[in-house]
Amino acid sequence: MVATVHTSPMIQLRRLFRFFGNTKAVNDVSFEVLPGQVFGYIGPNGAGKTTSMRILSTLDLPDYGDALVDGFSVVNDPDRVRKRLGFMPDNFGTYPNMNCVEYLDFFARSYGIVGRDRTKALRHTLAYTGLDKIAEKSIRGLSKGMRQRLCLGRAMIHDPSVLILDEPANGLDPRARIELRHMIRGLAAMGKTLLVSSHILTELGEMCDAIGIIERGQLIISGTVADIKAQLRPHIDVLVRLIAKGEDLGLWLADKPGISHIQASDLVVRFQFASDQPQEQAQLLQAIVQASFPVLEYSSESRSLEDVFLQITTGAVQ
Amino acid sequence: MSQSSLTGASATEVTLQHRICEDPSKLWERLWLWVTDRINPIVVKEVRQSLKSRQFTISFGLTLLAAISWTLFAVSIMVPRIYYVPAGLPLLTGFFCILNLPLMVIIPFGAFRSLASETEDSTFELLSISALSSIQIIYGKMASAGVQIVLFLSALAPCIVLTYLLRGVSLFTILFVLSLTLLFSVLETALALLFASMSRSRMIQNLTSVLALAGLLIGFFAWCSLIISILQEDFLDQAIMSEPGITLAWTFAIATIAGLLGSLILRTASAAIDFPSENNSTTIRLRVFGLVSLSFFWAMYGIAAIKESAALLVLGIAIFILLMFVGSLVSGERGIISPRAQRGLPKTFLGRVFLTWFYPGAGLGYVLIVCLFGAFTGTAAAFSLYFGSELRNNVSAVLGCYLLLCYLAIYLGINRLIMLLLPKELSGRLVGSFALLVVILLLSHLLPLLVAFYAANYRNIDYTAIQSFNIFWTLYELDRADLNAAQVVLTITAIAVFGANLILCTRDVLLVRVALPSRVREDDTPVAPEAVAQPVDPFA
Ligand SMILES: Nc1ncnc2c1ncn2[C@@H]1O[C@H](COP(=O)(O)OP(=O)(O)O)[C@@H](O)[C@H]1O
Ligand SMILES: [Mg+2]
């Protein structure tokens, strides 16, 4: 396989646009995935995940913008992209009168793998995906979990350095989901770069190095899991009105735990409090009053990203 | 792997698995692996599948059964005469009709279904992102059909040998009809693949599959009746006896033209399923160019032999129809050369003058097609000048070709100008552009007729200059009426439309080759370039 020593991103979306009539399926999306990373691509149904992944896999053309895989443009060098990329679509095509090995063997041949290289690739793929016990079974009779494994096996048969998996956990039972997670982590440990999509954040949370959340064709947020977790931590926005001594309250609050983003004027103080427990809020308010600040009004509003995310992942389909 | 966990696994299953994913140890196994590695993967797959498929077994069995029944039936009917009268002919006719059903219907339709079902089962996309190129996919489907053709043929070969032994048919006739049947079957299969590749949409594919089946059945009956009449007349034997040279030349002409036509059809099918930024125009246009030149060459040979310049006009009309069809598809191309295709543009000045027209883009293709027909008309004129009085109907054939040239420039040019106004990302542009040409032709023929009828109070009308754009009527009046006015009208319109198109494609002509991106060059150079030993010239 092609050895990539440089640390430039393996997957790069540069201001990608794809419209279907009035539907803005992908509307100015840019992000990068570094070598060896697992990137979780999260968004509700109809957000544009499949569309952007199809563009990355050279199955569709962007209206504007470009995407690079290992530095090669999907628009201008699709042949080189295809050599380096394995794509597992959400709907999975099979042939009649074929069993699992024959299916994998056919795609290995299609990728130009010949002779002992192919038998080796077949053995490795069958063993890695755990298909070796049902290798002779007809594909039409496979369970959903086994079909997903076969599809993953097909995507990795030519040992690509980038794998794009479109909703691989969709419709799997919890046990199969855990096994899938192990397989994905294992692939990352082999140095492969993965882009995995899902409409459920928790499905991907633990196995991703970075995530991006897409809604209505636009990337809302992206970054490493630690960054996003910090932003997703529950917090509330608090507004306090006083008769006087607002600036003093700001100073007083500055060294209290869990308080950030303080904006203080003489009569109004705004800050963020890193908890949404009413108990803790009550204690804070009590402490402020006890410190004899002349409080006129205390109001709080929960605007956590978690709320935003819950909102986008539970409805809001285009 | 644990034997116990295999539910009902038999020993054969385990060895089967060995065959595919264990390293071969025996010599013949290694040899077999080496051979199949060099065959198109699609052929390997389809042969594997059809060994398990019921449809193939049934159609093959039925064909064999039909052949055996026909032999027994025919022989039993002819039994007293068969000893002293040549009995090969009726038997052979029957065998050809039996062979025609798989060759003309089952196999081409199977190829159609095979490509169409790749889209329906969404395996096509998996295939298209593999390392197989689109032409390899098409060739693979074609070769799988070829394997089946060979199988059916070898099943019926003993029967055909039997008819030769029964006397009454010459070996030449048998071989000629057989090769013609094979050629036709291959062309039909290629056409079926082209039909299947034209559209990704379910509805259109269902429609085309009905159309394809109907077309194949018509082809089957037409071919059967043609074969029956060829065999009855036995003019083939007379031809090869009296004029062997000309007969062989005709055979050769048919073979070369059909071969190039098949290649053009397959390339078009491959272009239809290829990645949009890929340059398929060059290969297709080279084939159109070759096809026109080749048919022209053979027709000139024929005309020189039979001295009839009406043949020139007939040929001109045939090429005109082909170019109108190809041209309508070319007008549907996106009017741009993708950055990928720009990497291969010619570098030298002469290359740019002569080869740019073969690159993608509706404007360039239009210019190429008009120039191609222009060259044809010019050569035809030179040809008739050279043969002079030896040819009959000399002048009007050349004039007819000239008028056709004007029509080509006008109709394709207008078609392309209208296509320029439509949005570039319109889906189904090729089909749309063809439909547009049909509409333009209908309007330009019907409107002047209506106007003339109206002016003449719906009584009979005569040919006037207002009917200049009517292709059929103008050609019909070629020897009858004075066409000076029509000539002037058509020439001026053609020059105007051609000029407008030429101006609008200057941007494409001015494009120059773009350099390869640095990442691509980096990929093409080996990681550690080793010093290559250069041969030293000892006499330097
Ligand atoms: N071929 C297409 N034609 C028209 N609209 C499409 C097509 N493909 C996707 N869309 C639309 O684009 C939007 C994004 O779809 P998709 O990328 O499949 O979302 P996701 O995979 O995130 O569920 C949807 O509104 C969908 O209806
Ligand atoms: Mg999707």
Side-chain angles (χ1 to χ4, degrees), chain A residues 89-262:
Chain A
D90 51 355
N91 61 334
F92 161 35
T94 58
Y95 293 104
N97 299 318
M98 229 187 201
N99 63 30
C100 300
V101 219
E102 284 171 344
Y103 186 76
L104 292 178
D105 180 69
F106 169 58
F107 281 101
R109 285 171 192 268
S110 305
Y111 278 102
I113 311 171
V114 295
R116 283 168 193 269
D117 288 346
R118 189 174 60 240
T119 49
K120 204 172 127 204
L122 282 173
R123 283 199 304 270
H124 172 249
T125 307
L126 286 174
Y128 191 79
T129 53
L131 285 170
D132 40 9
K133 297 197 182 78
I134 53 158
E136 297 291 327
K137 259 199 185 171
S138 163
I139 302 175
R140 292 272 147 106
L142 292 186
S143 68
K144 175 82 185 169
M146 285 300 157
R147 287 165 75 92
Q148 289 296 70
R149 281 162 184 253
L150 184 60
C151 199
L152 180 65
R154 186 203 52 75
M156 58 179 277
I157 190 92
H158 58 301
D159 194 22
S161 41
V162 174
L163 274 160
I164 295 186
L165 316 179
D166 195 0
E167 312 230 1
N170 203 2
L172 295 188
D173 59 39
R175 187 190 153 82
R177 231 171 249 195
I178 293 169
E179 287 167 352
L180 179 80
R181 195 175 300 160
H182 283 307
M183 279 190 256
I184 289 177
R185 279 313 327 178
L187 286 168
M190 290 180 207
K192 300 191 187 306
T193 311
L194 287 101
L195 178 64
V196 188
S197 81
S198 173
H199 57 275
I200 304 166
L201 172 68
T202 48
E203 208 171 76
L204 294 182
E206 298 115 80
M207 63 178 175
C208 293
D209 302 307
I211 54 178
I213 296 176
I214 184 174
E215 190 209 0
R216 290 169 204 239
Q218 286 186 310
L219 205 65
I220 299 173
I221 183 173
S222 74
T224 64
V225 172
D227 285 351
I228 303 230
K229 274 213 174 118
Q231 293 184 47
L232 283 180
R233 196 175 298 141
H235 66 264
I236 50 172
D237 292 327
V238 182
L239 181 139
V240 182
R241 283 185 205 282
L242 311 98
I243 301 172
K245 295 215 288 186
E247 273 142 10
D248 292 348
L249 176 59
L251 291 175
W252 183 85
L253 283 169
D255 54 343
K256 294 280 174 289
I259 301 217
S260 58
H261 297 89
I262 305 169

Side-chain angles (χ1 to χ4, degrees), chain B residues 261-413:
Chain B
L261 192 63
S263 165
L264 174 67
I265 295 173
L266 290 182
R267 280 284 167 182
T268 313
S270 136
I273 60 171
D274 206 355
F275 194 68
S277 76
E278 210 71 55
N279 170 16
N280 282 297
S281 306
T282 308
T283 45
I284 290 181
R285 286 183 200 168
L286 279 176
R287 277 166 181 75
V288 171
F289 182 75
L291 196 61
V292 171
S293 319
L294 195 70
S295 28
F296 191 55
F297 168 79
W298 284 114
M300 286 304 161
Y301 174 83
I303 291 164
I306 58 174
K307 303 270 187 299
E308 169 63 64
S309 74
L312 206 60
L313 191 60
V314 172
L315 177 73
I317 293 173
I319 296 183
F320 175 76
I321 293 172
L322 175 75
L323 288 184
M324 279 292 256
F325 178 68
V326 173
S328 76
L329 296 185
V330 165
S331 302
E333 276 184 27
R334 293 177 173 216
I336 40 163
I337 305 185
S338 67
R340 180 174 172 78
Q342 278 181 44
R343 293 178 195 164
L345 281 175
K347 269 190 293 195
T348 59
F349 177 73
L350 276 183
R352 288 183 54 195
V353 168
F354 289 109
L355 296 179
T356 305
W357 315 106
F358 288 92
Y359 279 82
L364 299 177
Y366 165 76
V367 173
L368 177 78
I369 283 175
V370 173
C371 289
L372 210 56
F373 201 77
F376 168 78
T377 311
T379 326
F383 198 78
S384 62
L385 262 182
Y386 179 74
F387 278 95
S389 53
E390 286 181 55
L391 294 179
R392 277 160 284 168
N393 308 321
N394 197 355
V395 183
S396 56
V398 176
L399 179 63
C401 286
Y402 173 74
L403 293 178
L404 284 178
L405 174 66
C406 294
Y407 287 128
L408 197 69
I410 293 169
Y411 286 123
L412 286 184

Side-chain angles (χ1 to χ4, degrees), chain B residues 357 363 366-371 409-410 413-414 416-417 492-505:
Chain B
W357 315 106
Y366 165 76
V367 173
L368 177 78
I369 283 175
V370 173
C371 289
I410 293 169
I414 291 176
R416 191 222 155 201
L417 291 179
I492 292 176
T493 323
I495 289 177
V497 174
F498 188 71
N501 273 289
L502 206 55
I503 291 168
L504 284 173
C505 76

Side-chain angles (χ1 to χ4, degrees), chain A residues 20 23 25 44-51 318:
Chain A
F20 298 102
T23 314
N45 290 327
K49 304 180 296 290
T50 303
T51 307
Q318 275 186 325

Side-chain angles (χ1 to χ4, degrees), chain B residues 179-257:
Chain B
S179 337
L180 224 53
T181 306
L182 283 184
L183 201 68
F184 195 62
S185 169
V186 168
L187 278 185
E188 269 201 337
T189 311
L191 264 181
L193 286 177
L194 177 63
F195 258 80
S197 69
M198 272 302 161
S199 175
R200 297 269 88 81
S201 111
R202 282 279 164 89
M203 202 189 69
I204 298 185
Q205 280 202 340
N206 287 342
L207 193 72
T208 41
S209 76
V210 173
L211 285 180
L213 193 59
L216 289 173
L217 283 174
I218 292 173
F220 166 71
F221 287 116
W223 194 254
C224 281
S225 49
L226 185 73
I227 280 186
I228 290 174
S229 62
I230 287 183
L231 289 177
Q232 297 294 314
E233 302 291 329
D234 80 292
F235 76 89
L236 276 176
D237 284 332
Q238 289 165 15
I240 190 83
M241 290 301 172
S242 56
E243 286 184 286
I246 290 187
T247 313
L248 282 183
W250 276 113
T251 315
F252 197 54
I254 293 174
T256 44
I257 290 178

